[in-house]
Structures are given as C-alpha cells and as structure tokens.
Amino acid sequence: MKVTPLRLQGANILEPIIHGDSRGYFMESYNEQIMHGIGIQEHFIQDNQSLSAEVGVLRGLHYQLNPKAQTKLIRVLTGAIYDVIVDIRRNSPTFGQWVGVILSEYNKRQLLVPKGFAHGFCTLVPNTQVLYKVDEYYSPENDRGILWSDPALGIDWPTSAPVLSDKDQRHPLLKDAELNF
Ligand SMILES: Cc1cn([C@H]2C[C@H](O)[C@@H](COP(=O)(O)OP(=O)(O)O[C@H]3O[C@H](C)C(=O)[C@H](O)[C@H]3O)O2)c(=O)[nH]c1=O
C-alpha cells in the first residue's frame, strides 16, 4: 500500500498493490491490519455505494457534526470522479482550504478523509459508482452541508453547471455553516 499525504493535515491518498495477470487483476481493496500498520486506526463500520448516471453529477459538500463526525475512505469502482475535501476544523492553519484529486477505476486510488472535513465529488464519466467506508453511522440530525459553489472556497470544479440534488442546491456558505470541529 503506497501512502501519499496531502497538504491538508490528516488526508491521504492510498494506492493498493495490484496483482495483474492474463485474466485481469486482483487487489485487496481494504485490509485492516495494513491500515493499522500505516497509522490508520479508525474502525470502519458502514459501507456506502452510490451510482451517478451522468457526467457532471456533483454530490456535496457534506459532513456530519460531532459526535457523529465521519472519517471516510473513498474509492471508485467504475468511472471517475473529481473528489474534493475542505478543511473545516476551526483552529486548523488550513481552515477553509480545499484539495481536489481524481479517483477512478483506472488509477484505483483511494482517498482518506479525516473527521473535520467537508467532502464532495463531481463525476467525470457516465455511470460512475463510488464506494466508501465510514467510521460513524449515518446521522440525519447531524448531517450538514456547505454550498458547492461558495466563492470563499473557490473550488475549481470540472463543470459550472452540475447536476445537483435539491438538498445540495440549498446548503449555506462556509461562513454561515454550523461547525463543531
Ligand atoms: C449518506 C447516507 C444517505 N442515506 C440516504 C439519505 C437519502 O435518502 C439518500 C441519499 O442521500 P444523499 O442525497 O445525502 O446522498 P449523497 O448526495 O450521495 O451524499 C453522500 O455523498 C457525499 C459525497 C458524501 O460525502 C456523503 O457521505 C454522503 O452524504 O440516502 C442513507 O440511508 N445513509 C447514508 O449514509
């Protein structure tokens, strides 16, 4: 497993070992012992999966408040996404800063998103399926969001006219968001 720290403290790109042969490939997409060996001690308790049919579907920016804040381990099964995380830890020196990475079925990269980050992605190809592990259960009462197009964030999304859920069209700006990290 190759680990590449991102410039926002605690966020990492993980690249598993791919065992290719004439049939295709095999990889251990998740191994708790290896995760613990590289310092990722979280115990993931829920797996999520989403399918986005179109290019330009944007889901986010989402997070759960403490005490139900989630660490997320994200990967793409089919297709490709531009995956974005935003540091929303009030005392962080990188508060309000974001990083974007491409995760795809081809690069098989995984993104570890620590608690205290808002997360969102935009699909780059049709029929993109995203899988992700979380270490806290879904908590609708603690589910919050930040507007994808918040000018204070200036996220360089691959489209200026994404396909959004009604909910994702109505999130507050970061300056107005409820935070407790
Ligand atoms: C997150 C979640 C949702 N749901 C239900 C709630 C809704 O009835 C339906 C769709 O939920 P939502 O529109 O929040 O799904 P996404 O827009 O894909 O949001 C997710 O994708 C972004 C990128 C994230 O980072 C979040 O983890 C997650 O919120 O699934 C559940 O039953 N369990 C869950 O864990």
Side-chain angles (χ1 to χ4, degrees):
M1 174 77 74
K2 178 183 172 188
V3 183
T4 306
L6 295 175
R7 67 178 184 81
L8 301 180
Q9 203 277 328
N12 293 294
I13 289 284
L14 308 180
E15 294 176 85
I17 295 169
I18 311 298
H19 302 282
D21 63 29
S22 59
R23 301 166 298 171
Y25 74 85
F26 178 91
M27 71 174 180
E28 292 183 359
S29 52
Y30 180 77
N31 180 314
E32 188 171 83
Q33 191 172 51
I34 290 176
M35 290 291 166
H36 289 179
I38 59 178
I40 297 169
Q41 300 300 333
E42 284 76 11
H43 176 58
F44 294 101
I45 56 176
Q46 178 178 313
D47 277 358
N48 295 328
Q49 178 172 331
S50 68
L51 167 69
S52 300
E54 297 175 69
V55 179
V57 169
L58 195 157
R59 297 171 183 258
L61 296 158
H62 302 158
Y63 61 96
Q64 292 191 168
L65 292 172
N66 280 322
K68 294 296 182 182
Q70 295 173 317
T71 305
K72 298 174 184 172
L73 180 58
I74 299 140
R75 68 190 181 100
V76 170
L77 181 63
T78 57
I81 61 174
Y82 184 64
D83 206 331
V84 172
I85 59 174
V86 182
D87 189 349
I88 55 175
R89 301 168 295 191
R90 282 236 182 266
N91 297 323
S92 169
T94 54
F95 176 81
Q97 294 187 28
W98 63 275
V99 165
V101 294
I102 292 177
L103 306 182
S104 77
E105 66 179 282
Y106 307 104
N107 68 24
K108 298 183 181 57
R109 296 163 87 193
Q110 303 182 15
L111 177 61
L112 183 83
V113 187
K115 299 174 195 290
F117 280 76
H119 173 247
F121 65 78
C122 183
T123 58
L124 300 172
V125 299
N127 299 315
T128 287
Q129 294 184 85
V130 178
L131 306 178
Y132 51 109
K133 294 180 172 297
V134 292
D135 66 344
E136 277 293 346
Y137 293 115
Y138 177 52
S139 172
E141 58 276 15
N142 288 287
D143 193 29
R144 296 293 186 278
I146 294 166
L147 191 65
W148 67 280
S149 57
D150 185 338
L153 299 178
I155 297 171
D156 187 17
W157 295 106
T159 175
S160 57
V163 177
L164 296 163
S165 65
D166 291 343
K167 179 181 80 169
D168 285 349
Q169 294 180 43
R170 298 195 304 269
H171 294 310
L173 301 177
L174 175 58
K175 68 180 180 65
D176 301 320
E178 182 182 1
L179 306 173
N180 65 3
F181 303 101

